[in-house]
């Protein structure tokens, strides 16, 4: 018998009702969180925010993408979190928005042919992030 978490059961029910999956935004800056969340929600995308890199939102939520601003966190923690996300939640699209894209090329190489995580150089505007997410996953 397969046991499913409450979040998984709720996510399945939302998909059956035709509700889209959401996006989690991870940043240590309130302005970034508020601005991008507001933009995505005005565009009709459910967006949750967190300042915690290893947030529980990454574990149980029904998310299509995680938009991470990795410059706010230690590199080793970012690499470990993205590797865990790719391994444990392969259907979730990791999007890294950084002023230092080359620093994260190893994460893309490690993912192989999947070409994820997606790396967007700063400055990045809300519509750029949204268009990229919508081109890759259903939100």
């Amino acid at each position: 018998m397969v046991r499913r978490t409450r979040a998984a059961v709720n996510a399945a029910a939302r998909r059956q009702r035709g509700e889209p999956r959401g996006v989690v935004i991870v940043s240590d800056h309130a302005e970034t969180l508020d601005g991008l969340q507001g933009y995505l929600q005005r565009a009709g995308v459910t967006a949750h925010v967190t300042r915690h890199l290893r947030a529980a939102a990454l574990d149980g939520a029904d998310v299509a993408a995680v938009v991470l601003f990795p410059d706010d966190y230690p590199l080793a923690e970012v690499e470990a979190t993205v590797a865990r996300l790719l391994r444990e939640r392969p259907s979730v699209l990791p999007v890294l928005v950084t002023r230092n894209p080359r620093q994260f090329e190893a994460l893309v190489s490690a993912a192989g042919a999947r070409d994820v995580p997606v790396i967007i150089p700063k400055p990045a505007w809300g519509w750029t992030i949204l268009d990229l997410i919508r081109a890759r996953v259903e939100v």
Side-chain angles (χ1 to χ4, degrees):
M1 178 174 174
V2 175
R3 295 188 63 183
R4 297 171 62 183
T5 65
R6 179 179 298 183
V9 171
N10 290 342
R14 282 192 305 274
R15 279 193 300 277
Q16 285 180 338
R17 291 190 305 264
E19 294 178 26
R21 298 185 304 160
V23 173
V24 173
I25 306 162
V26 184
S27 174
D28 197 34
H29 296 284
E31 299 84 13
T32 300
L33 293 171
D34 294 343
L36 186 54
Q37 180 184 37
Y39 180 81
L40 293 175
Q41 288 180 335
R42 285 188 302 277
V45 176
T46 301
H48 305 280
V49 299
T50 182
R51 289 178 175 225
H52 303 286
L53 188 56
R54 298 179 189 187
L58 300 179
D59 294 327
D62 187 26
V63 296
V66 173
V67 179
L68 169 61
F69 291 81
D71 302 337
D72 300 346
Y73 303 95
L75 179 60
E77 287 182 35
V78 171
E79 290 174 337
T81 298
V82 172
R84 183 178 136 235
L85 187 60
L86 291 170
R87 183 179 61 254
E88 296 177 11
R89 305 284 307 273
S91 66
V92 175
L93 175 68
V95 178
L96 281 64
V97 183
T98 177
R99 66 180 159 280
N100 216 351
R102 295 186 112 177
Q103 186 174 21
F104 300 100
E105 288 176 350
L107 290 172
V108 176
S109 298
R114 292 184 52 209
D115 196 29
V116 292
V118 177
I119 300 175
I120 301 175
K122 279 186 175 179
W125 309 109
W127 59 84
T128 304
I129 296 168
L130 177 59
D131 288 349
L132 180 134
I133 292 170
R134 283 185 169 159
R136 299 265 185 133
V137 293
E138 184 180 331
V139 289

